[in-house]
Amino acid sequence: MSARPQYYTRTAQILHWLMAAIFITAWLIGFYSGNFLSYGTDGAFKGDIITLHKNIATPILFLIVIRIFWRYTHPAPSLPESMSAPMKKIAHVIHWVLYIILVALPITGCFFSWSAGHPAPVLYLFNLPTLIAPNPHIMAIVKPIHVYLSWFAGLLIVGHVFAALKHHFIDRDNVLKSMTSQAKD
Ligand code: HEM
Ligand code: HEM
């Protein structure tokens, strides 16, 4: 059996950082719109901000397909020996949950929009095919899923970032470097 690599491939790294940037930007814009703007006082501006949120977030749906395929065909680096078995298990579970969030948030967002009678636009270029007709019953289900899942994702990502920084600055191991650097031949 060949040894596990020490670094993520360049492709995996680019996908991780590109999607992290999109995700964090979309999250901040969604949170701003959902909690600091109201249709009553901010009118069309809120509409524009939600549209921006959607246009930035939908590319995640395409990128995650490539990323899951890439992950399936390219194993992740092994975690440092210094980590206990339960900690390694927790790290793996959190990565799984992050992947599930990367699939579930944009999908629930699209169903939220369609059920409210709005499109799901991509980078101001085109709309995704509308899969359902406007439906307040579906909206009453997908809206809270999108909102609560986004809050949970926010908390998890704060933990994920702190874990990466702890590995780098306190444990001084290779975990953060595995996502930023390549082996020098
Ligand atoms: C990476 C993907 C996404 C993330 C991280 C994300 C995150 C969020 C967050 C944090 C909120 C605010 C929740 C709150 O009210 O506190 C939100 C609201 C919302 N999201 Fe998303 N979202 C994503 C994808 C999408 C997509 C693809 C769509 C639709 C095509 C969408 C449609 C909406 C809508 C309509 C709202 C309500 C905004 C408002 O009430 O002002 N989201 N999202
Ligand atoms: C500035 C913010 C971020 C930093 C510093 C960061 C750092 C890292 C590091 C160092 C790893 C490798 C961990 C390991 O080998 O155990 C990793 C993996 C991962 N990150 Fe992030 N990350 C950030 C943001 C995000 C965001 C926003 C998401 C998406 C929701 C995300 C999703 C993932 C996933 C799914 C993995 C597992 C990759 C795999 O094994 O295939 N990250 N991250």
Side-chain angles (χ1 to χ4, degrees):
M1 231 172 75
S2 62
R4 296 275 291 274
Q6 259 201 310
Y7 297 87
Y8 284 92
T9 61
R10 219 9 133 203
T11 307
Q13 293 176 346
I14 291 169
L15 285 167
H16 174 270
W17 293 113
L18 176 64
M19 291 175 77
I22 296 174
F23 193 96
I24 293 169
T25 310
W27 195 96
L28 292 172
I29 295 171
F31 195 78
Y32 170 60
S33 175
N35 300 283
F36 296 95
L37 296 177
S38 89
Y39 282 110
T41 48
D42 305 297
F45 178 64
K46 179 166 166 96
D48 290 345
I49 294 293
I50 298 180
T51 303
L52 178 66
H53 172 68
K54 297 177 188 179
N55 275 286
I56 290 177
T58 42
I60 294 269
L61 277 174
F62 299 91
L63 293 169
I64 193 65
V65 176
I66 304 171
R67 181 151 173 203
I68 289 173
F69 168 77
W70 195 262
R71 179 65 161 81
Y72 191 69
T73 49
H74 297 78
S78 39
L79 290 166
E81 288 303 318
S82 50
M83 282 174 77
S84 66
M87 276 314 290
K88 286 184 182 174
K89 187 85 205 155
I90 290 171
H92 283 137
V93 170
I94 289 177
H95 289 166
W96 262 98
V97 176
L98 286 173
Y99 276 113
I100 292 168
I101 284 171
L102 281 167
V103 174
L105 260 187
I107 290 182
T108 53
C110 289
F111 277 89
F112 179 8
S113 283
W114 294 326
S115 63
H118 298 295
V122 183
L123 295 174
Y124 293 96
L125 294 175
F126 61 94
N127 292 335
L128 293 176
T130 306
L131 298 185
I132 53 161
N135 184 329
H137 302 293
I138 295 183
M139 190 178 145
I141 297 169
V142 287
K143 179 179 175 175
I145 297 179
H146 188 70
V147 171
Y148 292 127
L149 193 62
S150 75
W151 293 354
F152 174 64
L155 288 176
L156 204 64
I157 284 161
V158 169
H160 177 66
V161 174
F162 272 108
L165 295 176
K166 176 185 178 283
H167 277 288
H168 192 68
F169 291 108
I170 296 175
D171 305 334
R172 294 175 182 277
D173 59 27
N174 200 51
V175 168
L176 183 58
K177 281 201 208 97
S178 73
M179 202 39 113
T180 56
S181 314
Q182 290 290 299
K184 289 176 193 60
D185 294 320

